Coordinates of all heavy atoms in Angstrom, one line a residue:
P1 N -6.3 -20.0 -95.8 CA -5.5 -20.6 -96.9 C -4.7 -19.6 -97.7 O -5.2 -18.5 -97.8 CB -6.7 -21.2 -97.7 CG -7.9 -21.3 -96.7 CD -7.7 -20.2 -95.7
F2 N -3.8 -20.2 -98.3 CA -2.9 -19.3 -99.1 C -3.6 -18.7 -100.4 O -3.3 -17.6 -100.8 CB -1.7 -20.2 -99.5 CG -0.7 -19.3 -100.2 CD1 0.0 -18.3 -99.5 CD2 -0.4 -19.6 -101.6 CE1 1.0 -17.6 -100.2 CE2 0.7 -18.8 -102.2 CZ 1.3 -17.8 -101.5
F3 N -4.5 -19.5 -101.0 CA -5.1 -19.1 -102.2 C -6.6 -19.3 -102.1 O -7.1 -20.4 -102.2 CB -4.6 -20.0 -103.4 CG -4.9 -19.5 -104.7 CD1 -4.2 -18.4 -105.3 CD2 -5.9 -20.2 -105.5 CE1 -4.6 -17.9 -106.5 CE2 -6.2 -19.7 -106.8 CZ -5.6 -18.6 -107.3
P4 N -7.3 -18.2 -101.7 CA -8.7 -18.2 -101.3 C -9.6 -18.6 -102.6 O -10.0 -17.7 -103.3 CB -9.0 -16.9 -100.7 CG -8.0 -16.0 -101.4 CD -6.8 -16.8 -101.6
T5 N -10.0 -19.8 -102.8 CA -10.9 -20.1 -103.9 C -12.1 -21.0 -103.6 O -12.8 -21.4 -104.5 CB -10.1 -21.0 -105.0 OG1 -9.6 -22.1 -104.4 CG2 -9.0 -20.1 -105.5
T6 N -12.4 -21.1 -102.3 CA -13.6 -21.8 -101.8 C -14.4 -20.8 -101.0 O -13.9 -19.8 -100.6 CB -13.2 -23.0 -101.0 OG1 -12.4 -22.6 -99.9 CG2 -12.4 -24.0 -101.8
D7 N -15.6 -21.2 -100.7 CA -16.6 -20.3 -100.1 C -16.1 -19.7 -98.8 O -16.2 -18.5 -98.5 CB -17.9 -21.0 -99.9 CG -18.7 -21.2 -101.2 OD1 -18.5 -20.5 -102.1 OD2 -19.4 -22.2 -101.2
E8 N -15.5 -20.6 -97.9 CA -15.2 -20.1 -96.5 C -14.1 -19.1 -96.5 O -14.3 -18.0 -95.9 CB -14.7 -21.3 -95.6 CG -14.5 -21.0 -94.2 CD -14.2 -22.2 -93.4 OE1 -14.5 -23.3 -93.7 OE2 -13.5 -22.0 -92.4
P9 N -13.0 -19.3 -97.1 CA -12.0 -18.2 -97.1 C -12.4 -16.9 -97.9 O -12.0 -15.7 -97.5 CB -10.7 -18.8 -97.7 CG -11.2 -20.0 -98.5 CD -12.4 -20.5 -97.8
I10 N -13.2 -17.0 -98.9 CA -13.7 -15.9 -99.6 C -14.6 -15.1 -98.8 O -14.5 -13.9 -98.7 CB -14.3 -16.3 -101.0 CG1 -13.2 -16.7 -101.9 CG2 -15.1 -15.1 -101.6 CD1 -13.7 -17.3 -103.2
E11 N -15.6 -15.8 -98.1 CA -16.4 -15.1 -97.2 C -15.6 -14.5 -96.0 O -16.0 -13.3 -95.6 CB -17.5 -16.1 -96.6 CG -18.5 -16.5 -97.6 CD -19.3 -15.4 -98.3 OE1 -19.7 -14.5 -97.6 OE2 -19.6 -15.5 -99.5
K12 N -14.7 -15.1 -95.6 CA -13.8 -14.6 -94.4 C -13.1 -13.3 -94.9 O -13.1 -12.3 -94.2 CB -12.8 -15.5 -94.0 CG -11.9 -15.1 -92.9 CD -11.0 -16.2 -92.4 CE -10.1 -15.7 -91.3 NZ -9.3 -16.8 -90.8
F13 N -12.7 -13.3 -96.3 CA -12.0 -12.1 -96.8 C -13.0 -11.0 -96.8 O -12.7 -9.9 -96.5 CB -11.5 -12.4 -98.2 CG -11.0 -11.2 -98.9 CD1 -9.8 -10.7 -98.7 CD2 -11.8 -10.6 -99.9 CE1 -9.3 -9.6 -99.3 CE2 -11.4 -9.4 -100.5 CZ -10.1 -8.9 -100.2
F14 N -14.3 -11.2 -97.3 CA -15.2 -10.1 -97.3 C -15.6 -9.6 -96.0 O -15.7 -8.4 -95.7 CB -16.5 -10.6 -98.0 CG -16.4 -10.6 -99.6 CD1 -16.6 -11.8 -100.2 CD2 -16.2 -9.5 -100.2 CE1 -16.5 -11.8 -101.7 CE2 -16.0 -9.5 -101.6 CZ -16.2 -10.7 -102.3
G15 N -15.6 -10.6 -94.9 CA -15.9 -10.2 -93.6 C -14.8 -9.3 -93.0 O -15.1 -8.4 -92.1
Q16 N -13.6 -9.5 -93.4 CA -12.4 -8.7 -92.8 C -12.1 -7.4 -93.6 O -11.4 -6.6 -93.2 CB -11.2 -9.6 -92.8 CG -11.3 -10.7 -91.9 CD -10.1 -11.7 -91.9 OE1 -9.3 -11.6 -92.9 NE2 -9.9 -12.5 -91.0
N17 N -12.7 -7.3 -94.8 CA -12.4 -6.2 -95.7 C -13.7 -5.4 -96.1 O -14.3 -5.8 -97.1 CB -11.6 -6.7 -96.9 CG -10.3 -7.2 -96.6 OD1 -9.3 -6.5 -96.3 ND2 -10.2 -8.6 -96.6
N18 N -14.1 -4.5 -95.2 CA -15.4 -3.8 -95.5 C -15.4 -3.0 -96.7 O -16.4 -2.6 -97.2 CB -15.7 -3.0 -94.2 CG -16.0 -4.0 -93.0 OD1 -16.4 -5.0 -93.2 ND2 -15.6 -3.4 -91.8
D19 N -14.2 -2.6 -97.2 CA -14.2 -1.7 -98.4 C -14.4 -2.4 -99.7 O -14.5 -1.9 -100.7 CB -12.9 -1.0 -98.5 CG -11.7 -1.8 -98.4 OD1 -11.7 -2.9 -97.9 OD2 -10.7 -1.4 -98.9
W20 N -14.5 -3.8 -99.6 CA -14.8 -4.7 -100.7 C -16.3 -5.0 -100.7 O -16.8 -5.7 -99.8 CB -14.1 -5.9 -100.8 CG -12.6 -5.8 -101.3 CD1 -11.7 -4.9 -100.8 CD2 -12.0 -6.4 -102.4 NE1 -10.5 -5.0 -101.5 CE2 -10.7 -6.0 -102.4 CE3 -12.4 -7.4 -103.2 CZ2 -9.8 -6.5 -103.3 CZ3 -11.5 -7.9 -104.2 CH2 -10.2 -7.4 -104.2
D21 N -17.2 -4.4 -101.6 CA -18.6 -4.6 -101.6 C -18.8 -5.9 -102.3 O -18.6 -6.1 -103.6 CB -19.3 -3.5 -102.3 CG -20.8 -3.6 -102.2 OD1 -21.3 -4.7 -102.0 OD2 -21.4 -2.6 -102.4
K22 N -19.4 -6.9 -101.7 CA -19.6 -8.2 -102.2 C -20.6 -8.2 -103.5 O -20.3 -8.9 -104.5 CB -20.1 -9.2 -101.3 CG -20.3 -10.6 -101.7 CD -20.8 -11.5 -100.6 CE -20.9 -13.0 -101.2 NZ -21.4 -13.9 -100.2
N23 N -21.5 -7.3 -103.5 CA -22.4 -7.2 -104.6 C -21.7 -6.6 -105.8 O -22.0 -7.1 -106.9 CB -23.6 -6.3 -104.3 CG -24.5 -6.8 -103.2 OD1 -24.7 -8.1 -103.1 ND2 -25.0 -6.0 -102.3
V24 N -20.8 -5.7 -105.6 CA -20.0 -5.2 -106.7 C -19.1 -6.3 -107.3 O -19.0 -6.5 -108.5 CB -19.2 -3.9 -106.4 CG1 -18.2 -3.5 -107.4 CG2 -20.1 -2.8 -106.0
V25 N -18.5 -7.0 -106.4 CA -17.6 -8.1 -106.9 C -18.4 -9.2 -107.6 O -17.9 -9.6 -108.7 CB -16.9 -8.7 -105.7 CG1 -16.1 -10.0 -106.1 CG2 -16.0 -7.7 -105.0
E26 N -19.6 -9.5 -107.2 CA -20.4 -10.5 -107.9 C -20.8 -10.0 -109.3 O -20.8 -10.8 -110.3 CB -21.6 -10.8 -107.1 CG -21.4 -11.6 -105.9 CD -22.6 -11.8 -105.0 OE1 -23.7 -11.1 -105.3 OE2 -22.6 -12.5 -104.0
T27 N -20.9 -8.7 -109.4 CA -21.2 -8.1 -110.7 C -19.9 -8.1 -111.6 O -20.0 -8.5 -112.8 CB -21.7 -6.6 -110.7 OG1 -22.8 -6.6 -109.8 CG2 -22.0 -5.9 -111.9
L28 N -18.9 -7.7 -111.1 CA -17.6 -7.6 -111.9 C -17.1 -9.0 -112.3 O -16.5 -9.2 -113.3 CB -16.5 -6.9 -111.1 CG -16.7 -5.5 -110.8 CD1 -15.7 -4.9 -109.9 CD2 -16.8 -4.7 -112.1
Y29 N -17.3 -10.0 -111.4 CA -16.9 -11.4 -111.7 C -18.2 -12.1 -112.1 O -18.7 -13.0 -111.5 CB -16.2 -12.1 -110.5 CG -14.9 -11.4 -110.2 CD1 -14.8 -10.3 -109.4 CD2 -13.7 -12.1 -110.6 CE1 -13.6 -9.8 -109.1 CE2 -12.5 -11.6 -110.4 CZ -12.5 -10.4 -109.6 OH -11.2 -9.9 -109.3
G30 N -18.7 -11.8 -113.4 CA -19.9 -12.4 -113.9 C -19.9 -14.0 -113.7 O -18.8 -14.6 -114.0
G31 N -21.0 -14.5 -113.2 CA -21.0 -15.9 -113.0 C -20.6 -16.3 -111.7 O -20.6 -17.5 -111.3
Y32 N -20.1 -15.4 -110.8 CA -19.7 -15.7 -109.4 C -20.9 -16.2 -108.8 O -22.0 -15.7 -109.0 CB -19.2 -14.4 -108.7 CG -18.8 -14.7 -107.3 CD1 -17.6 -15.2 -106.9 CD2 -19.7 -14.5 -106.3 CE1 -17.2 -15.4 -105.6 CE2 -19.4 -14.7 -104.9 CZ -18.2 -15.1 -104.6 OH -17.9 -15.3 -103.3
P33 N -20.9 -17.4 -108.0 CA -19.7 -18.0 -107.5 C -19.3 -19.3 -108.2 O -18.8 -20.1 -107.6 CB -20.3 -18.4 -106.0 CG -21.7 -18.7 -106.3 CD -22.1 -17.7 -107.4
A34 N -19.4 -19.3 -109.5 CA -18.9 -20.5 -110.3 C -17.4 -20.7 -109.9 O -16.7 -19.8 -109.6 CB -19.1 -20.3 -111.8
K35 N -16.9 -21.9 -110.0 CA -15.6 -22.3 -109.6 C -14.6 -21.5 -110.4 O -13.6 -21.0 -109.8 CB -15.4 -23.8 -109.9 CG -14.0 -24.3 -109.6 CD -13.6 -24.3 -108.1 CE -12.2 -24.8 -107.9 NZ -11.4 -24.1 -107.0
R36 N -14.7 -21.3 -111.7 CA -13.7 -20.6 -112.4 C -13.6 -19.1 -112.0 O -12.5 -18.5 -111.8 CB -14.0 -20.6 -113.9 CG -12.9 -19.9 -114.7 CD -13.1 -20.1 -116.2 NE -12.0 -19.3 -116.7 CZ -11.9 -19.3 -118.1 NH1 -12.6 -20.0 -118.9 NH2 -10.9 -18.6 -118.5
R37 N -14.8 -18.4 -111.6 CA -14.8 -17.1 -111.2 C -14.1 -17.0 -109.8 O -13.5 -16.1 -109.4 CB -16.2 -16.6 -111.2 CG -16.8 -16.5 -112.5 CD -16.0 -15.6 -113.4 NE -16.5 -15.6 -114.8 CZ -16.0 -15.0 -115.8 NH1 -14.9 -14.4 -115.7 NH2 -16.6 -15.1 -117.0
K38 N -14.3 -18.1 -109.0 CA -13.7 -18.1 -107.6 C -12.3 -18.2 -107.8 O -11.5 -17.5 -107.0 CB -14.2 -19.2 -106.8 CG -15.6 -19.1 -106.3 CD -16.0 -20.4 -105.5 CE -17.5 -20.3 -105.1 NZ -17.9 -21.4 -104.3
D39 N -11.8 -18.9 -108.8 CA -10.3 -19.0 -109.0 C -9.7 -17.6 -109.4 O -8.7 -17.1 -108.9 CB -10.0 -20.0 -110.1 CG -10.2 -21.4 -109.6 OD1 -10.4 -21.6 -108.4 OD2 -10.3 -22.3 -110.5
K40 N -10.5 -16.9 -110.3 CA -10.0 -15.6 -110.7 C -10.1 -14.6 -109.5 O -9.2 -13.8 -109.4 CB -10.9 -15.1 -111.9 CG -10.6 -15.8 -113.1 CD -11.5 -15.4 -114.3 CE -11.3 -16.1 -115.5 NZ -10.9 -15.4 -116.6
L41 N -11.2 -14.6 -108.7 CA -11.2 -13.8 -107.6 C -10.1 -14.1 -106.6 O -9.4 -13.2 -106.1 CB -12.5 -13.9 -106.9 CG -12.7 -13.1 -105.6 CD1 -12.6 -11.7 -105.8 CD2 -14.1 -13.4 -105.0
G42 N -9.8 -15.4 -106.4 CA -8.7 -15.7 -105.5 C -7.4 -15.3 -105.9 O -6.6 -14.8 -105.1
G43 N -7.2 -15.3 -107.3 CA -5.9 -14.8 -107.8 C -5.8 -13.3 -107.6 O -4.7 -12.8 -107.3
D44 N -6.9 -12.6 -107.8 CA -6.8 -11.2 -107.6 C -6.6 -10.8 -106.2 O -5.8 -9.8 -105.8 CB -8.1 -10.5 -108.1 CG -8.2 -10.4 -109.7 OD1 -7.1 -10.7 -110.3 OD2 -9.2 -10.2 -110.2
I45 N -7.2 -11.6 -105.2 CA -7.0 -11.3 -103.8 C -5.5 -11.6 -103.5 O -4.8 -10.9 -102.8 CB -7.9 -12.2 -102.9 CG1 -9.3 -11.7 -103.1 CG2 -7.5 -12.2 -101.5 CD1 -10.3 -12.6 -102.5
L46 N -5.0 -12.7 -104.0 CA -3.7 -13.2 -103.7 C -2.5 -12.2 -104.3 O -1.6 -11.9 -103.5 CB -3.4 -14.6 -104.2 CG -2.0 -15.2 -104.0 CD1 -1.7 -15.4 -102.5 CD2 -1.8 -16.4 -104.8
F47 N -2.7 -11.7 -105.4 CA -1.7 -10.9 -106.1 C -2.0 -9.4 -106.1 O -1.1 -8.6 -105.9 CB -1.5 -11.4 -107.5 CG -0.9 -12.7 -107.6 CD1 -1.7 -13.8 -108.0 CD2 0.4 -13.0 -107.3 CE1 -1.1 -15.1 -108.1 CE2 1.0 -14.3 -107.4 CZ 0.2 -15.3 -107.7
G48 N -3.3 -9.1 -106.1 CA -3.7 -7.7 -106.2 C -3.6 -7.0 -104.9 O -3.3 -5.8 -104.8
V49 N -4.3 -7.6 -103.9 CA -4.4 -6.8 -102.6 C -3.0 -6.5 -102.0 O -2.8 -5.4 -101.5 CB -5.2 -7.7 -101.6 CG1 -5.2 -7.1 -100.2 CG2 -6.6 -7.8 -102.1
P50 N -2.0 -7.3 -102.1 CA -0.7 -6.9 -101.5 C -0.1 -5.7 -102.2 O 0.5 -4.8 -101.7 CB 0.2 -8.2 -101.6 CG -0.7 -9.3 -101.6 CD -2.0 -8.8 -102.3
C51 N -0.3 -5.7 -103.5 CA 0.1 -4.5 -104.4 C -0.6 -3.2 -104.0 O 0.0 -2.2 -103.8 CB -0.1 -4.7 -105.9 SG 0.9 -6.1 -106.5
L52 N -1.9 -3.3 -103.7 CA -2.6 -2.2 -103.3 C -2.2 -1.7 -101.9 O -2.0 -0.5 -101.7 CB -4.2 -2.4 -103.2 CG -4.8 -2.7 -104.6 CD1 -6.2 -3.2 -104.4 CD2 -4.7 -1.5 -105.5
L53 N -2.0 -2.5 -101.0 CA -1.5 -2.3 -99.6 C -0.1 -1.6 -99.7 O 0.1 -0.7 -99.0 CB -1.5 -3.5 -98.8 CG -2.8 -4.1 -98.4 CD1 -2.6 -5.4 -97.7 CD2 -3.7 -3.2 -97.6
Y54 N 0.8 -2.2 -100.5 CA 2.1 -1.6 -100.6 C 2.1 -0.2 -101.2 O 2.7 0.7 -100.7 CB 3.0 -2.5 -101.5 CG 4.4 -2.0 -101.7 CD1 5.3 -2.2 -100.7 CD2 4.8 -1.2 -102.8 CE1 6.6 -1.8 -100.8 CE2 6.1 -0.7 -102.8 CZ 7.0 -1.0 -101.8 OH 8.3 -0.4 -102.1
A55 N 1.2 -0.1 -102.3 CA 1.2 1.3 -102.9 C 0.6 2.4 -101.9 O 1.0 3.5 -101.9 CB 0.3 1.2 -104.1
D56 N -0.4 1.9 -101.2 CA -1.0 2.8 -100.2 C 0.0 3.1 -99.1 O 0.1 4.4 -98.8 CB -2.2 2.1 -99.6 CG -2.9 3.0 -98.6 OD1 -3.3 4.1 -99.0 OD2 -3.1 2.7 -97.4
A57 N 0.8 2.3 -98.6 CA 1.8 2.6 -97.6 C 2.9 3.5 -98.2 O 3.3 4.5 -97.6 CB 2.4 1.3 -97.1
Y58 N 3.3 3.2 -99.4 CA 4.4 4.0 -100.0 C 4.0 5.4 -100.3 O 4.8 6.3 -100.3 CB 4.9 3.3 -101.3 CG 6.2 3.8 -101.9 CD1 7.4 3.4 -101.3 CD2 6.2 4.7 -102.8 CE1 8.6 3.9 -101.8 CE2 7.4 5.2 -103.3 CZ 8.6 4.8 -102.8 OH 9.9 5.3 -103.3
S59 N 2.7 5.6 -100.7 CA 2.1 6.9 -101.1 C 2.1 7.9 -99.9 O 2.1 9.0 -100.2 CB 0.7 6.7 -101.6 OG -0.2 6.4 -100.5
K60 N 2.4 7.4 -98.8 CA 2.5 8.3 -97.6 C 3.9 9.1 -97.6 O 4.1 10.1 -97.0 CB 2.3 7.6 -96.3 CG 0.9 7.2 -96.2 CD 0.7 6.3 -94.9 CE -0.8 5.7 -94.8 NZ -1.5 5.3 -95.9
N61 N 4.8 8.6 -98.4 CA 6.1 9.1 -98.5 C 6.6 9.7 -99.8 O 7.4 10.6 -100.0 CB 7.2 8.1 -98.2 CG 7.0 7.5 -96.8 OD1 7.0 8.3 -95.8 ND2 6.8 6.3 -96.7
A62 N 5.9 9.3 -100.9 CA 6.2 9.7 -102.3 C 5.0 9.5 -103.2 O 4.1 8.7 -102.9 CB 7.4 9.0 -102.7
P63 N 5.0 10.3 -104.2 CA 3.9 10.0 -105.2 C 3.9 8.6 -105.8 O 5.0 8.1 -106.0 CB 4.1 11.0 -106.4 CG 5.1 12.0 -105.8 CD 5.8 11.3 -104.7
V64 N 2.8 8.0 -105.9 CA 2.7 6.7 -106.4 C 1.8 6.6 -107.6 O 0.7 7.1 -107.6 CB 2.2 5.6 -105.3 CG1 1.9 4.2 -105.9 CG2 3.1 5.6 -104.1
W65 N 2.2 5.8 -108.7 CA 1.4 5.6 -109.9 C 1.2 4.1 -110.0 O 2.2 3.5 -109.9 CB 2.1 6.1 -111.1 CG 2.2 7.6 -111.2 CD1 3.2 8.4 -110.7 CD2 1.2 8.6 -111.6 NE1 2.9 9.7 -110.7 CE2 1.7 9.8 -111.4 CE3 -0.1 8.4 -112.2 CZ2 0.9 11.0 -111.8 CZ3 -0.8 9.5 -112.6 CH2 -0.2 10.8 -112.4
M66 N 0.0 3.7 -110.1 CA -0.2 2.3 -110.2 C -1.1 2.0 -111.4 O -2.2 2.6 -111.5 CB -0.9 1.8 -108.9 CG -1.0 0.3 -108.8 SD -1.5 -0.1 -107.1 CE -1.5 -1.8 -107.3
Y67 N -0.7 1.0 -112.2 CA -1.6 0.7 -113.4 C -2.4 -0.5 -112.9 O -1.8 -1.5 -112.3 CB -0.7 0.4 -114.5 CG -0.1 1.6 -115.1 CD1 1.2 1.9 -114.8 CD2 -0.8 2.4 -116.0 CE1 1.8 3.1 -115.2 CE2 -0.1 3.5 -116.6 CZ 1.1 3.8 -116.2 OH 1.7 5.0 -116.6
R68 N -3.6 -0.6 -113.3 CA -4.5 -1.6 -112.9 C -5.0 -2.2 -114.3 O -5.8 -1.4 -115.0 CB -5.6 -1.3 -112.0 CG -5.1 -0.9 -110.6 CD -6.2 -0.5 -109.7 NE -6.9 -1.7 -109.3 CZ -7.9 -1.6 -108.5 NH1 -8.3 -0.6 -108.0 NH2 -8.6 -2.8 -108.2
F69 N -4.8 -3.4 -114.6 CA -5.2 -3.9 -115.9 C -6.4 -4.9 -115.6 O -6.4 -5.6 -114.6 CB -4.1 -4.7 -116.5 CG -2.9 -3.8 -116.9 CD1 -1.8 -3.7 -116.0 CD2 -2.9 -3.2 -118.1 CE1 -0.8 -2.9 -116.3 CE2 -1.8 -2.4 -118.5 CZ -0.8 -2.2 -117.6
A70 N -7.3 -4.8 -116.5 CA -8.5 -5.7 -116.3 C -8.7 -6.3 -117.7 O -8.8 -5.7 -118.8 CB -9.7 -4.9 -115.9
Y71 N -8.7 -7.6 -117.7 CA -9.1 -8.4 -118.9 C -10.4 -9.2 -118.7 O -10.5 -9.9 -117.7 CB -8.0 -9.4 -119.2 CG -8.3 -10.3 -120.3 CD1 -8.3 -9.9 -121.6 CD2 -8.6 -11.7 -120.1 CE1 -8.7 -10.7 -122.8 CE2 -8.9 -12.5 -121.1 CZ -8.9 -12.1 -122.4 OH -9.3 -12.9 -123.4
H72 N -11.3 -8.9 -119.5 CA -12.6 -9.6 -119.5 C -12.9 -10.3 -120.8 O -13.2 -9.7 -121.8 CB -13.7 -8.6 -119.2 CG -13.5 -7.8 -117.9 ND1 -13.8 -8.4 -116.7 CD2 -13.1 -6.6 -117.6 CE1 -13.6 -7.5 -115.7 NE2 -13.0 -6.4 -116.3
P73 N -12.7 -11.7 -120.7 CA -13.0 -12.5 -121.9 C -14.4 -12.4 -122.4 O -15.3 -12.2 -121.7 CB -12.5 -13.9 -121.5 CG -12.6 -13.9 -120.1 CD -12.4 -12.6 -119.6

């Protein structure tokens, strides 16, 4: 799915990305697996992961600075 906000695609994401510790994610997204937290996690996966991949690839050719913002209501 394009926007992983249900159990199956989120579990698939964790299965394919060993560098993401599910226990840490559950702590950072307090209340996970509540629906609203799944939406927030899905948004971070959808928008954040491609940025990290791009920055990692670009860093092999030039210095890269990346700002990561976190908002916790």
Side-chain angles (χ1 to χ4, degrees):
F2 186 68
F3 194 73
T5 58
T6 58
D7 290 331
E8 186 177 335
I10 290 174
E11 291 299 323
K12 184 176 180 180
F13 173 81
F14 282 120
Q16 294 174 342
N17 296 281
N18 296 329
D19 55 335
W20 283 55
D21 185 341
K22 187 175 179 183
N23 294 323
V24 172
V25 171
E26 289 174 354
T27 301
L28 294 173
Y29 291 83
Y32 178 85
K35 175 66 175 140
R36 181 166 179 185
R37 297 301 177 183
K38 288 181 186 178
D39 290 344
K40 290 180 182 236
L41 175 60
D44 287 348
I45 291 171
L46 179 67
F47 295 105
V49 172
C51 292
L52 293 171
L53 293 173
Y54 181 82
D56 183 54
Y58 193 82
S59 70
K60 292 173 180 39
N61 299 304
V64 172
W65 293 91
M66 187 170 182
Y67 291 93
R68 295 180 71 182
F69 297 94
Y71 171 73
H72 300 282

